[in-house]
Amino acid sequence: MTERPLRCFLLAHQSPQDPEEIVVDHLAELGELVRACGWEVSGSQILRRPRLDPRTFFGKGQLADAADQARRLGATQFVCDDELSGSQVRNIEKATGLSCLERTGLILTIFELRAKSREARAQVELARFEYELPRLKGAWTHLERQVGGVGVRGGPGETQIEVDRRMTRQRIGQLKKELTHLERVRETQRQGRAPGIPRIALVGYTNAGKTSLLKALTGEGEPQDMLFATLDTTTRKAWLGHDPETQEPRHVLVSDTVGFIRKLPHQLVAAFRSTLGEVRTADALLVVADAAHPDVEDHLKVVGTTLRELGCAEQPRLLVLNQADRLTPPQRLELKRRHPAAALTCALTKEGLDDVRGWLLDLIPGPAQPRELEDWEREEASAAPLG
Ligand SMILES: Nc1nc2c(ncn2[C@@H]2O[C@H](COP(=O)(O)OP(=O)(O)OP(=O)(O)O)[C@@H](O)[C@H]2O)c(=O)[nH]1
Ligand SMILES: [Mg+2]
């Protein structure tokens, strides 16, 4: 018999300056993240509050109401869109009797479910331990209080938490060593790849269609309608066309990479340093966006910020507005007006791929001409700073 999926009740905080539609969109994305874990969304609530409660984040009365509603709908877990501390999560669980997961923990859970290769598994495990370490500290403070107030040392709880922390640090050290080794292997592989062939990385918000474009350009890849379907970098050779002068065939190596998201946990960005090295060292970037997504401009800002955080501000890049088949004619015109230099593509019908190939062909033999940055690359994202 298959187990029933966990039923979740979503919570988001809205302060007076947050526009309602943005909070609603963020809740929709949170729902997608929950479904990406194989769980169900049974309901959601926006909790409005000008000031946050440092102990429970939301107000006590609000939480009690939300817990009643969640129970009525059969939910056993709250999922919060905001980043909560370990002690806030524990206090919410204590006050409501429901378990509670916050956004970072949820994204880590998805990555844990998806990680298959040794490198991805080590990266996700490192991110998990980095995430848990300060939370163990929270548990320690809490136990310390139980054994007699601040300043007391040597209680039974303290010993256990101290052991947990030491073991966590040890494991973090081991994982970092393993990842440094795997990074060297990756670097050697990179250097061993056909010299002289430019390397291009597909980057962008999760579920934009990066893997679909890899498939459309190279014939390989497994797209899935799921957030964070891709964790590992795959590199394949794509044929671009013939050199107009020499008639020689021209190729590039295209790498598919892990997607970005608003408030991508900084532990994951740090842990995926090696995988994302493919992006840092690529000769050019194809920045892929789902053009039909209502939040496409916000997605682009998040991608711009994340790329800067990764030290990828300089590379030539082409904005690829994918999923163009889902646009209405007025939406198309508006996007063209806003992003005149972008390629409009459909990975399923291969519409617009000739434009992408043409742009890539211009990269050979030298790098593309530098050009003015667009607003989305320059502007600060609304997302919290990474790192
Ligand atoms: N209609 C339409 N759907 C597309 C297009 N490109 C991709 N999709 C669909 O969008 C979903 C996500 O595509 P992927 O290629 O897996 O997206 P991704 O960017 O690799 O996503 P992650 O690896 O999860 O970050 C899949 O269901 C694709 O079939 C397109 O041009 N048009
Ligand atoms: Mg993918």
Side-chain angles (χ1 to χ4, degrees):
M1 212 179 75
T2 49
E3 227 178 280
R4 270 197 69 187
L6 188 68
R7 291 176 71 90
C8 302
F9 191 85
L10 315 185
L11 294 180
H13 168 253
Q14 183 184 15
S15 60
Q17 59 275 19
D18 295 332
E20 177 94 13
E21 64 273 16
I22 296 214
V23 182
V24 169
D25 284 352
H26 288 177
L27 266 179
E29 181 179 87
L30 190 70
E32 286 304 310
L33 288 168
V34 164
R35 280 183 277 274
C37 279
W39 300 338
E40 279 175 10
V41 176
S42 52
S44 64
Q45 204 168 322
I46 296 173
L47 303 183
R48 293 172 185 89
R49 203 179 155 83
R51 274 193 325 141
L52 294 170
D53 186 317
R55 282 197 73 251
T56 47
F57 194 81
F58 302 108
K60 287 212 180 60
Q62 288 180 320
L63 277 172
D65 283 351
D68 281 348
Q69 207 190 329
R71 276 205 194 84
R72 263 201 309 278
L73 295 169
T76 54
Q77 173 165 277
F78 279 136
V79 177
C80 304
D81 193 46
D82 306 86
E83 289 163 280
L84 272 55
S85 72
S87 65
Q88 285 169 334
V89 166
R90 275 191 302 278
N91 289 335
I92 291 175
E93 290 182 335
K94 220 165 22 169
T96 62
L98 293 175
S99 68
C100 178
L101 187 65
E102 48 84 61
R103 189 181 168 90
T104 304
L106 177 64
I107 294 176
L108 279 171
T109 306
I110 301 172
F111 274 63
E112 281 163 349
L113 288 170
R114 301 274 191 281
K116 287 196 188 71
S117 71
R118 182 177 159 201
E119 188 175 28
R121 281 206 310 270
Q123 286 170 328
V124 176
E125 200 186 339
L126 174 62
R128 169 62 77 182
F129 278 122
E130 298 271 16
Y131 171 73
E132 296 294 348
L133 190 61
R135 287 164 184 263
L136 289 174
K137 185 173 143 210
W140 181 76
T141 314
H142 161 78
L143 281 168
E144 186 181 54
R145 231 177 284 125
Q146 276 188 350
V147 297
V150 176
V152 174
R153 296 284 180 271
E158 180 187 352
T159 315
Q160 187 51 51
I161 299 305
E162 283 292 294
V163 170
D164 287 353
R165 291 169 82 194
R166 184 168 46 77
M167 286 171 63
T168 302
R169 282 211 194 85
Q170 257 175 13
R171 187 69 189 127
I172 286 175
Q174 282 170 352
L175 286 165
K176 281 189 173 165
K177 240 194 222 158
E178 184 179 346
L179 285 170
T180 306
H181 166 71
L182 291 173
E183 197 170 356
R184 257 185 245 129
V185 173
R186 180 182 280 281
E187 183 54 37
T188 314
Q189 280 171 352
R190 200 183 288 144
Q191 284 169 3
R193 283 192 203 131
I197 300 193
R199 291 189 313 99
I200 308 301
L202 289 160
V203 294
Y205 212 77
T206 182
N207 224 31
K210 300 175 293 298
T211 304
S212 304
L213 281 167
L214 178 84
K215 190 168 184 183
L217 286 166
T218 71
E220 289 181 73
E222 257 181 72
Q224 274 177 288
D225 190 9
M226 192 188 263
L227 304 189
F228 301 114
T230 307
L231 292 196
D232 286 303
T233 303
T234 314
T235 302
R236 296 284 178 266
K237 199 164 158 184
W239 177 83
L240 297 181
H242 288 95
D243 186 294
E245 281 170 22
T246 64
Q247 295 308 309
E248 289 277 303
R250 292 296 189 195
H251 293 93
V252 277
L253 293 176
V254 186
S255 295
D256 188 12
T257 61
V258 60
F260 302 156
I261 199 165
R262 183 176 67 87
K263 296 192 199 161
L264 185 62
H266 64 88
Q267 298 93 342
L268 278 172
V269 178
F272 274 69
R273 205 170 51 97
S274 155
T275 306
L276 289 167
E278 297 293 341
V279 178
R280 264 195 309 273
T281 59
D283 295 302
L285 306 178
L286 293 179
V287 178
V288 185
D290 173 358
H293 197 288
D295 296 331
V296 60
E297 298 300 329
D298 283 338
H299 290 183
L300 286 174
K301 286 180 195 162
V302 170
V303 172
T305 306
T306 313
L307 286 173
R308 266 200 310 281
E309 294 287 337
L310 292 169
C312 302
E314 302 295 319
Q315 287 139 305
R317 62 199 60 192
L318 175 69
L319 175 58
V320 180
L321 294 170
N322 189 42
Q323 314 218 14
D325 54 306
R326 295 172 50 222
L327 295 172
T328 60
Q331 283 175 324
R332 263 179 184 258
L333 284 176
E334 174 56 19
L335 276 169
K336 280 205 171 219
R337 191 189 60 76
R338 261 189 275 145
H339 303 286
L344 273 177
T345 63
C346 169
L348 310 184
T349 61
K350 305 199 179 181
E351 174 204 334
L353 288 194
D354 283 343
D355 288 349
V356 176
R357 287 193 197 95
W359 186 84
L360 292 175
L361 260 179
D362 286 346
L363 283 177
I364 302 171
Q369 292 302 308
R371 57 167 184 73
E372 278 287 292
L373 288 181
E374 283 196 45
D375 285 350
W376 63 271
E377 295 165 273
R378 225 181 277 123
E379 270 175 41
E380 273 309 310
S382 51
L386 303 165

